[in-house]
Amino acid sequence: MRIGIIIPSLDDSGAARAASNLSHLLSERHEVHIITVYRHEPLQNWSGDFHVLDVPAASQEHGIITRAGLFINRLRALRRIKSELELDVSISISEALGIQNILTATADRPIVNHHTVLSRNENLADIYGRIVKTMVRIIYPRAEGIVCVSEESACDLTDHYGINPDLISVIPNSVPVCELADRMSMPEGWDDVFRDPVIVTAGRLTYAKGQWHLLRVFSELKKTMPQLKLMILGDGELRGYLHRLARGLGLETFTGGQPDDYDVYFMGFQRDPYGFIGHSDLFVLPSLREALPMALIEAMALGVPVASADCGGPREILAPNSDPLFKTDNTEFADYGVLLPSFDGRKRGVHDKLSREENVWVETISRLLSDRDILDFYSGRARKRSMDFSSGSVKERWFSFLDKIV
């Protein structure tokens, strides 16, 4: 079977990492083609052949007419490459590409791989976003199938966009669990940093990831745990804001150079972040929304105990037997990690008091770091749970789904 995986780019996003893992998984049985929208240097490894539509990416800075023109150009390019490759199945990742994938279907069977909780996506709050959401409601039902990465993202499509549940399958992203342990080496000179307790987070520096809340929480934790360090892995448009906030909070801030004694380490994008994550005491996820965060699963695969905002997908990972739509307003010591109340997303000043949720995070993280027994317990539970997302566990679900579609 010839399968195309269509994605904006193989950049540093979780969706790109998911597409990369999916290409490895499907290549075991099928001929895979990665198709990206615009030309760039891939930051992820992949299996199969690589193709570029070479249509500039749309952004929020573009006007509606420019975006419409790019949309039409992408339809033409996508229809052409599908025909040239004689695809049997085309799997798209991202809402706009899902719509374009369906509209350009000829001999191929279009499948939407849905990676978000669409109704809570702040990037689609403008007029363009409203158009995309309207097209989702109208065009998604024409797909051969929709694969959602979590139950919440599936419920969001049925409850808010009227998608028939019979069209939807839930298959989580896969993580190469068994390989990650072999990728835990750190660059030379970083061992001394981890002699002190370190909490780590990973994700693009964007609004949805909420890292400014974590900086405020960390600043409060430093008052009673002066040796504590925070490591932030990832890059994005909020880099400058977060650097200024950290310094405004009085935190010694690393942004490059020699890894001396700092409070906060902004590491930027790391092709292999697993050494930094795996040697940390606690992985934290302060996101405002997540469908199924791969960084959380990867940390668990490395045996790192995790604490996460109860912002969607993390509940399905850490408390799989609970209601996936429930949101806690306090600390919940779940089966495989700790769930904490989501932040309100408000960007407060450095002198503003902590919010109620930020205070809960301070109290809970302080308790976790002070109790080695709890950390050891969740370390073992995390590693066990991560196996449910291993390539071996997920690939048969994908193969079965594709056999049903074709």
Side-chain angles (χ1 to χ4, degrees):
M1 190 185 303
R2 292 189 181 91
I3 299 176
I5 300 176
I6 309 164
I7 190 168
S9 68
L10 283 178
D11 56 13
D12 57 345
S13 65
R17 206 151 70 251
S20 168
N21 291 342
L22 183 61
S23 74
H24 294 307
L25 182 153
L26 297 182
S27 291
E28 293 185 20
R29 192 176 295 181
H30 302 290
E31 178 184 317
V32 173
H33 298 268
I34 294 282
I35 303 170
T36 66
V37 170
Y38 57 91
R39 193 171 299 280
H40 66 293
E41 179 184 355
L43 298 178
Q44 311 289 341
N45 298 318
W46 72 89
S47 291
D49 294 328
F50 187 80
H51 312 270
V52 182
L53 298 183
D54 211 11
V55 179
S59 72
Q60 292 182 314
E61 285 71 37
H62 288 138
I64 189 66
I65 295 177
T66 301
R67 285 188 172 193
L70 291 171
F71 184 91
I72 293 170
N73 290 340
R74 197 170 299 128
L75 287 178
R76 292 170 178 162
L78 190 53
R79 181 177 287 113
R80 182 171 59 250
I81 201 167
K82 284 184 177 184
S83 176
E84 291 172 357
L85 297 176
E86 299 180 333
L87 297 179
D88 299 300
V89 170
S90 48
I91 302 171
S92 51
I93 300 175
S94 96
E95 300 75 49
L97 282 179
I99 293 165
Q100 293 156 8
N101 184 23
I102 296 166
L103 291 177
T104 56
T106 52
D108 62 297
R109 297 173 185 268
I111 294 170
V112 173
N113 192 196
H114 193 66
H115 282 246
T116 188
V117 180
L118 190 58
S119 66
R120 295 201 285 129
N121 190 332
E122 72 284 346
N123 294 322
L124 297 175
D126 58 6
I127 185 171
Y128 174 81
R130 291 195 292 272
I131 292 171
V132 167
K133 291 178 179 180
T134 299
M135 295 181 76
V136 164
R137 184 184 298 275
I138 296 170
I139 294 172
Y140 266 32
R142 294 165 52 184
E144 289 290 332
I146 300 172
V147 175
C148 291
V149 297
S150 67
E151 292 289 347
E152 187 185 28
S153 63
C155 291
D156 186 64
L157 285 182
T158 58
D159 295 347
H160 291 91
Y161 301 95
I163 306 300
N164 186 343
D166 294 339
L167 191 61
I168 298 175
S169 299
V170 176
I171 305 177
N173 293 324
S174 67
V175 170
V177 171
C178 298
E179 300 173 17
L180 295 186
D182 297 328
R183 299 166 64 180
M184 281 183 57
S185 59
M186 287 188 300
E188 186 177 350
W190 282 92
D191 289 341
D192 286 346
V193 173
F194 289 86
R195 298 188 193 284
D196 293 320
V198 177
I199 58 178
V200 65
T201 190
R204 285 189 53 75
L205 308 184
T206 63
Y207 176 81
K209 301 302 181 181
Q211 290 102 342
W212 67 91
H213 286 291
L214 181 58
L215 283 171
R216 287 166 51 82
V217 167
F218 175 74
S219 177
E220 188 68 20
L221 286 167
K222 286 284 289 183
K223 295 177 181 178
T224 56
M225 306 179 73
Q227 300 305 311
L228 183 63
K229 302 181 186 304
L230 170 63
M231 185 166 285
I232 299 176
L233 298 156
D235 201 358
E237 61 266 25
L238 293 187
R239 179 200 315 115
Y241 163 71
L242 294 171
H243 290 182
R244 291 191 298 272
L245 176 62
R247 295 187 178 110
L249 290 167
L251 301 171
E252 292 292 329
T253 303
F254 171 89
T255 58
Q258 292 299 314
D260 296 324
D261 189 20
Y262 292 89
D263 299 318
V264 182
Y265 294 80
F266 285 97
M267 303 299 296
F269 170 73
Q270 299 284 325
R271 285 183 181 270
D272 251 337
Y274 306 110
F276 298 115
I277 296 173
H279 287 85
S280 298
D281 295 270
L282 180 69
F283 181 93
V284 293
L285 190 76
S287 296
L288 307 180
R289 60 174 176 86
E290 292 281 0
L292 196 82
M294 292 187 62
L296 189 69
I297 303 169
E298 289 169 341
M300 295 169 72
L302 295 170
V304 180
V306 299
S308 172
D310 190 7
C311 58
R315 172 164 291 278
E316 297 182 42
I317 298 169
L318 303 181
N321 297 318
S322 64
D323 178 357
L325 303 183
F326 176 77
K327 301 289 185 293
T328 187
D329 60 2
N330 217 317
T331 303
E332 180 179 337
F333 290 90
D335 291 341
Y336 300 101
V338 180
L339 288 164
L340 292 159
S342 293
F343 299 112
D344 58 18
R346 178 183 163 194
K347 293 182 179 178
R348 294 171 174 83
V350 295
H351 300 298
D352 290 341
K353 292 182 179 179
L354 296 185
S355 68
R356 190 193 77 84
E357 292 81 12
E358 289 170 340
N359 274 312
V360 172
W361 278 63
V362 171
E363 294 167 6
T364 304
I365 293 176
S366 178
R367 177 181 173 185
L368 289 171
L369 293 175
S370 302
D371 193 330
R372 192 69 243 177
D373 289 339
I374 296 180
L375 291 180
D376 289 344
F377 170 79
Y378 276 124
S379 173
R381 297 289 288 172
R383 200 185 304 272
K384 177 182 178 182
R385 174 61 172 152
S386 71
M387 293 305 298
D388 294 330
F389 301 92
S390 67
S391 300
S393 296
V394 173
K395 68 180 178 181
E396 293 304 327
R397 295 170 68 175
W398 263 104
F399 291 152
S400 175
F401 171 81
L402 291 170
D403 290 343
K404 181 178 69 174
I405 291 293
V406 181

